[in-house]
Amino acid sequence: MIEPETVSDIRDLPAPAQEIALFLDFDGTLVEIAPSPDEVRLDRRVPPALDVLRTSLGGALALVSGRPVSFLDAALEPYRFDTAALHGAQIRLNGEIRSQSAVPEEMRGALRDLVRFANSQVGIIVEDKRISVALHWRLAPQLKDEALELMRAVAIRMGPGIRLQEGKSVAELVPAEASKGSAITQLMQIAPYAGRLPVFIGDDITDEHGFEAVNALGGLTIRVGDGETQAKLRIASPTSLRAILLDAAERGSLTASSFSQE
């Protein structure tokens, strides 16, 4: 399932026997990318499998996503997992919100500008996450340049407290201090994650901050799908990843080597 030629250097890979802490992106990783944010469909075998894996990992399993906590909870119900949501702007651990970025005052004005643009164009979707706001053009790829130009202008206007996060047919205004990398680094200092080998799996430009942080920690990074990446391994698709996770859940064991076996 994994393409061996995508390993950057086998010597870079961590020892397979070390206990891992698993960090998973959602869109494009656990589920296929959908035409719009509301159309994603999760294989219903996945939530209970993740619950089994969480137990086998001593609780060291977290979702690291651009989605809000509320969306991820609904998608994975009835299970509730540790979550670094909104690109790390909101972190929940053991059912408790441990950190959350404030909503920038300028975000309401930015939202109005983006909604005005979306209302004037067919296929543009604005996703209001309160702490952040995303503009999607997957249904209108011909508007990519115009959408990006608008988002970049809004980000500049909002100032240094906001970072523009670009992804697959989407761009998002997020608090500057928030990133998937900083969220994973924070979680790796807290039980049950501390002392384990971090493994982060993602699929997009938005996940590269996470790959960079986990590589710096000596962990294992895995990119789902194609595209340039800092990740050390590559898995072909969400379907391939789900097969690995479901098999590991059935066996009741997940290690770093689970991802390097075809």
Side-chain angles (χ1 to χ4, degrees):
M1 285 179 282
I2 295 175
E3 302 167 352
E5 64 271 17
T6 62
V7 178
S8 59
D9 188 330
I10 194 67
R11 293 170 298 178
D12 292 339
L13 298 182
Q18 185 178 351
E19 290 185 327
I20 68 171
L22 182 62
F23 300 97
L24 294 162
D25 176 42
F26 186 78
D27 292 277
T29 299
L30 288 178
V31 297
E32 283 76 9
I33 295 290
S36 70
D38 295 331
E39 295 181 57
V40 297
R41 295 293 179 266
L42 178 64
D43 186 326
R44 295 317 303 171
R45 296 174 297 170
V46 169
L50 292 181
D51 187 51
V52 170
L53 293 176
R54 171 171 57 181
T55 298
S56 73
L57 295 173
L61 184 152
L63 303 174
V64 183
S65 172
R67 296 282 197 167
V69 167
S70 58
F71 175 90
L72 296 169
D73 284 350
L76 293 153
E77 65 180 354
Y79 305 97
R80 298 290 183 267
F81 296 92
D82 289 348
T83 304
L86 302 177
H87 305 284
Q90 185 180 55
I91 296 178
R92 182 181 67 187
L93 183 64
N94 295 326
E96 175 187 350
I97 299 296
R98 289 293 188 95
S99 65
Q100 180 167 291
S101 299
V103 180
E105 294 182 6
E106 303 88 351
M107 194 64 80
R108 295 304 97 192
L111 178 62
R112 286 193 295 270
D113 290 346
L114 300 185
V115 169
R116 189 179 302 115
F117 175 68
N119 288 341
S120 69
Q121 305 288 351
V122 176
I124 296 292
I125 298 172
V126 176
E127 187 180 7
D128 179 12
K129 308 177 187 179
R130 290 192 57 77
I131 296 175
S132 67
V133 60
L135 190 69
H136 299 261
W137 56 85
R138 184 169 298 278
L139 298 175
Q142 73 279 7
L143 295 173
K144 173 184 177 180
D145 292 343
E146 190 173 351
L148 273 175
E149 182 179 358
L150 172 61
M151 290 295 278
R152 288 167 181 166
V154 172
I156 291 171
R157 187 186 74 206
M158 293 181 73
I162 287 294
R163 176 172 60 84
L164 182 61
Q165 177 67 69
E166 298 180 18
K168 295 177 179 176
S169 299
V170 62
E172 187 164 353
L173 300 165
V174 301
E177 76 278 5
S179 76
K180 293 185 177 183
S182 61
I184 292 172
T185 299
Q186 181 177 335
L187 287 172
M188 285 301 298
Q189 299 173 25
I190 305 170
Y193 302 92
R196 289 174 173 262
L197 178 80
V199 175
F200 177 46
I201 309 175
D203 76 300
D204 201 352
I205 301 170
T206 62
D207 298 308
E208 292 298 318
H209 290 114
F211 294 150
E212 181 179 5
V214 171
N215 285 341
L217 292 169
L220 177 61
T221 48
I222 304 169
R223 169 106 176 196
V224 177
D226 57 11
E228 293 186 13
T229 184
Q230 300 177 73
K232 295 178 180 178
L233 289 178
R234 195 183 300 269
I235 292 176
S237 67
T239 300
S240 299
L241 175 61
R242 287 196 298 272
I244 293 172
L245 297 176
L246 291 171
D247 179 67
E250 185 175 348
R251 292 184 288 103
S253 175
L254 183 69
T255 67
S257 62
S258 300
F259 301 104
S260 58
Q261 298 173 355
E262 296 186 64

